[in-house]
Amino acid sequence: ENVLYRKIIETLSLKGGKLKGKTMDMLSSGLLIRDKNTKHEYTIEEINFDGEKPVVKCYRYYGPSGEKKVYMELTEEDFGKYEAV
């Protein structure tokens, strides 16, 4: 394991994440990110470190009364398009 990986795991743990194998479960923390262009906010559900680069699984609610949920996965190439809320 490299130093950056350990630092990321440590930081996410402080934010309420729970490490399960190579996946950091973030559901309990309510960690939010915002798309810089659309301003849509997403809740980070988990961060998977199984591959060479982390993959962030997140979702947002939509629909007339917010009853529908859409999921998406972000890779390192997408990170610059989002900001912390």
Side-chain angles (χ1 to χ4, degrees):
E1 295 180 3
N2 65 39
V3 174
L4 178 58
Y5 172 80
R6 286 194 311 268
K7 184 65 177 168
I8 290 171
I9 296 299
E10 179 182 308
T11 301
L12 293 173
S13 293
L14 292 172
K15 295 281 187 184
K18 309 259 187 288
L19 188 62
K20 295 178 182 175
K22 289 283 186 176
T23 300
M24 180 65 75
D25 183 359
M26 299 299 295
L27 190 56
S28 63
S29 71
L31 187 61
L32 296 175
I33 56 173
R34 179 184 299 125
D35 184 310
K36 291 178 182 178
N37 291 324
T38 67
K39 305 301 183 200
H40 291 147
E41 293 183 0
Y42 295 85
T43 299
I44 296 176
E45 184 172 271
E46 67 181 30
I47 303 168
N48 188 309
F49 295 97
D50 196 27
E52 196 170 299
K53 296 182 179 181
V55 175
V56 175
K57 183 178 178 183
C58 53
Y59 65 89
R60 73 175 174 89
Y61 292 98
Y62 71 101
S65 58
E67 74 281 358
K68 297 180 181 180
K69 195 188 267 191
V70 63
Y71 283 89
M72 66 180 200
E73 292 185 348
L74 303 175
T75 60
E76 190 174 356
E77 292 78 24
D78 301 314
F79 294 168
K81 300 173 189 173
Y82 297 83
E83 60 191 0
V85 175

